[in-house]
Each structure stands twice: as structure tokens, then as C-alpha cells.
Amino acid sequence: MILGFSTATYTSTTLVDEFFRAAIDWDWTITQAYYHATIEAYGGHEDTIKAVIVADTLEQYNNDHLWGQGYVAPDEYPDDDTIWYAEWTCSG
Amino acid sequence: MYRSLKLVFVVGTLLIFTMFLSHAITQDGKIITGTKGSFSEVKLNVALPESPEKLPLYRIVDVERDSYASKDFMKLSGSVPSEEESRRLALEFLEKRGQLPDGLTPKVVEVVKLREVNVKTNDTLQELPVAVNLIFGKVVNGYPVTGPKADRIAILVGGKGNITYYSKLWYEIERNNDTAILPAENAFEKLKRGEVLNRMKAVPKTLKISEVKLGYYVGKDQKYYIPAWLFYGEDEIGNRIVLMVDARR
């Protein structure tokens, strides 16, 4: 999975802290932890900041956890040349 | 095992990359590089507003946190309500929870969609709604409150209109002394020198300012709302950038 942004953004230690807190302490999926972290880090800003998550399969998008924190979906085989892309505004 | 290591590596690398560099990658793969928070050119496309002599400072007397998350938030859950219906459901949820504060103002309402994309043709094969994403901010006496630790409420409305995620950060404030305000012209000069409260590392080379107004800034560990001049502009791909200059003399 790839976690990133489609706009310019700010440096934020909150982003990292909240991501790992949700993914490890609360066992949230990577998608859920990343959404939560982007809101915690940038929700108070007025700029348009958009976060992006890319997964190879729908099962990975819905269910992947960090290793040891829950279910991890298998690698896709054979490759079907498609990805799953979600984008949301985390400040505006 | 290999897959899990790869996953941790990718997540870790990207988060560290974001934390230290904050360079944005557009959907067409272009990397927007910054110039350490200063601009090659700042264009003012709007008249600067008149400055009030003074504005009140507000002291933060209490912090209110409240949150809720269902097991399935951000997962596919069928059709989602319209943006307008979601706004109504969100406000109803806050009211029932006794968490509908004064000064609440809508900032974001959008349907978050999950797209299946063919990476060879770049065609979207299907587009499925995940949730309606709502973010509310705060206004004090007509002035927006903004910054990394500013008041905000985020809500996700999922399938069947269920509230699947909610996070609130809100401050109880009390009016303090008035403070003298810097004229907008002086603040604009500070902006051109890169003297801003929010230093975005990946800034566009040219920034076109289309709106200037006063607001309040809330950063980490602040005990007061700080009056700030807010300069609204757009980057090269049309996203809003708001730069803030301390408005205190």
C-alpha cells in the first residue's frame, strides 16, 4: 500500500504519532489509521490538503493491518494491472 | 513474512518522507518541489483590507476531546447519503450527543470514492462510494480559527446514513485583553520575506493571493488564540493555500 498526498502539505509529527497509535495501540486497519492521522494532523487548517491511499487489491484496502496487529491480505497473483485509489480532503 | 516487511517498509518510508520533506506528488506523477517556505514571486490580485486598530485575544481555558469510530469506517458499505443529507445527519448526531458547539462552520463536505484504475491505460474501471467526509471549523466573532491545533470536528457518514467516525477538538475560550493589530500592508511585506506562522516546505514558486482577511491562529501548546492575517492563494494545480502572518504589532 502507498500512503501519501495529492496536494502540498505541512510537516507534522502528529501525522506519524497518530498513525502508529491507531495502527498499533488500537489495531485499526492501515486505511483507517491513515484517515484518522490525516484528520488529526491537518483538520484545523484552511488550506486544501488531500490525502491518498493506493492498494493493489480491494481486500488489502479494506483489511490490511500492520504485521502482528491483525489480518494481512495476500499478495495479488497473477497481477491484474489494476489498483484501488482513494482520496479525501483532510483540511479545507 | 516478506510481504509484511515490505508493507512496514513502504508505510514507514512514506510517513518519514511526508514528515521531513512534505513534497506533494500530483496524480500525473509530477513532484512539486519547494523553496524552504519562501516564494520566488508573490502576486497580490486583491486590494488589501483596512486593519482594525485592535482585536481581542482569547485565552484557552479548557480543551474538549470527543470521538467515536465503528469497526467498519472507511470500508465499502453500499450507497451513501447525499452531501446535504449527510450534513443534516452529522448535525443531528452532534446535537443528540450534546456536542453541537457555538461558532461551528462547515469547511468540507464530499463523497469519498474508491476507484479501481487500470495502471496501463489509466482508465477508471469502477468508482464506489465509501463515505461522506465532513469537516467543520470554528468562527469567533466572524473570524475563522485555523492552524495545526485549531478547533475542528470531523465526521464520516457511511452506508445507511450511519455515523462511522467522529473526532472533535474544541476549546473553551474567554475574552482577554485587546491587542494592537499590524496593518495588512506590513503583514504582506512579512509574507514576502517568508515570515509566516505556517511554514509549508513544498511551496509553489509563484503564489497568487486572491483574498486577505483576519483570523485567529492556534498552534501547538498555545494558551491563546493569536490574531493572524490570512492570505488565501492557489498553487499551480488550483489547490487552496492559506499563509498566515502574526497580526500583533
Side-chain angles (χ1 to χ4, degrees):
Chain A
M1 293 175 84
I2 299 173
L3 316 179
F5 295 88
S6 59
T7 63
T9 186
Y10 297 98
T11 55
S12 172
T13 53
T14 301
L15 182 73
V16 182
D17 290 344
E18 290 295 333
F19 175 81
F20 285 109
R21 187 156 73 122
I24 294 173
D25 295 353
W26 305 338
D27 292 340
W28 284 8
T29 69
I30 288 171
T31 301
Q32 291 172 335
Y34 190 52
Y35 172 82
H36 167 76
T38 60
I39 292 294
E40 290 293 314
Y42 303 115
H45 284 282
E46 290 246 311
D47 315 68
T48 304
I49 300 175
K50 291 182 180 178
V52 167
I53 193 159
V54 181
D56 198 14
T57 67
L58 182 58
E59 195 186 5
Q60 289 170 11
Y61 168 86
N62 273 328
N63 300 310
D64 261 10
H65 293 74
L66 287 184
W67 187 253
Q69 305 305 134
Y71 178 74
V72 179
D75 284 347
E76 180 180 70
Y77 185 81
D79 184 15
D80 64 358
D81 292 329
T82 67
I83 51 106
W84 292 84
Y85 179 100
E87 180 184 67
W88 61 89
T89 306
C90 47
S91 80
Chain B
M1 185 65 181
Y2 169 72
R3 174 174 158 61
S4 63
L5 286 172
K6 186 173 69 175
L7 181 69
V8 170
F9 175 76
V10 169
V11 170
T13 304
L14 281 163
L15 286 171
I16 290 165
F17 176 82
T18 301
M19 182 179 161
F20 290 107
L21 296 180
S22 294
H23 288 181
I25 303 171
T26 64
Q27 285 185 43
D28 61 4
K30 179 186 170 192
I31 296 175
I32 306 168
T33 53
T35 50
K36 294 183 181 175
S38 60
F39 304 94
S40 301
E41 189 180 11
V42 180
K43 290 181 179 174
L44 193 60
N45 291 345
V46 65
L48 289 170
E50 288 197 13
S51 312
E53 291 254 321
K54 295 176 181 175
L55 268 188
L57 285 175
Y58 289 94
R59 190 169 73 87
I60 295 171
V61 293
D62 200 8
V63 184
E64 187 184 336
R65 298 296 308 242
D66 191 25
S67 61
Y68 162 78
S70 76
K71 270 178 65 179
D72 295 325
F73 84 90
M74 284 298 279
K75 294 184 180 181
L76 288 176
S77 57
S79 62
V80 299
S82 67
E83 293 178 359
E84 192 179 331
E85 174 66 1
S86 296
R87 192 190 307 242
R88 188 190 68 74
L89 290 167
L91 292 174
E92 186 181 87
F93 170 82
L94 291 173
E95 193 163 18
K96 279 185 183 168
R97 206 173 170 95
Q99 296 289 345
L100 189 60
D102 291 335
L104 191 76
T105 185
K107 289 183 9 173
V108 172
V109 56
E110 65 178 0
V111 178
V112 179
K113 292 173 182 165
L114 186 58
R115 288 194 291 134
E116 186 182 18
V117 179
N118 183 309
V119 292
K120 289 198 168 166
T121 63
N122 213 24
D123 290 336
T124 296
L125 306 178
Q126 54 179 322
E127 194 171 73
L128 306 167
V130 174
V132 179
N133 180 37
L134 299 108
I135 303 176
F136 299 90
K138 186 183 201 174
V139 171
V140 175
N141 285 335
Y143 298 108
V145 181
T146 182
K149 294 294 176 188
D151 310 62
R152 52 109 186 111
I153 295 176
I155 289 176
L156 285 175
V157 182
K160 299 178 184 168
N162 292 327
I163 305 297
T164 55
Y165 176 90
Y166 154 65
S167 173
K168 178 181 183 185
L169 168 63
W170 211 259
Y171 300 105
E172 185 186 332
I173 54 172
E174 66 178 22
R175 187 174 170 152
N176 213 270
N177 298 334
D178 287 356
T179 187
I181 295 298
L182 193 72
E185 291 78 7
N186 299 34
F188 184 58
E189 291 304 315
K190 288 175 80 171
L191 172 74
K192 286 195 288 187
R193 293 195 298 268
E195 295 174 33
V196 292
L197 291 165
N198 54 329
R199 187 163 293 275
M200 187 178 268
K201 283 197 172 179
V203 295
K205 285 182 180 173
T206 301
L207 182 70
K208 294 173 185 171
I209 304 292
S210 56
E211 187 182 4
V212 181
K213 63 183 177 186
L214 277 166
Y216 284 98
Y217 175 83
V218 188
K220 194 176 179 184
D221 300 327
Q222 258 180 232
K223 293 185 170 60
Y224 291 86
Y225 285 10
I226 294 174
W229 282 105
L230 312 181
F231 294 85
Y232 293 78
E234 281 190 353
D235 65 13
E236 291 100 334
I237 53 175
N239 291 307
R240 185 165 73 171
I241 287 180
V242 186
L243 291 165
M244 291 169 269
V245 174
D246 192 336
R248 294 171 297 178
R249 278 186 192 266

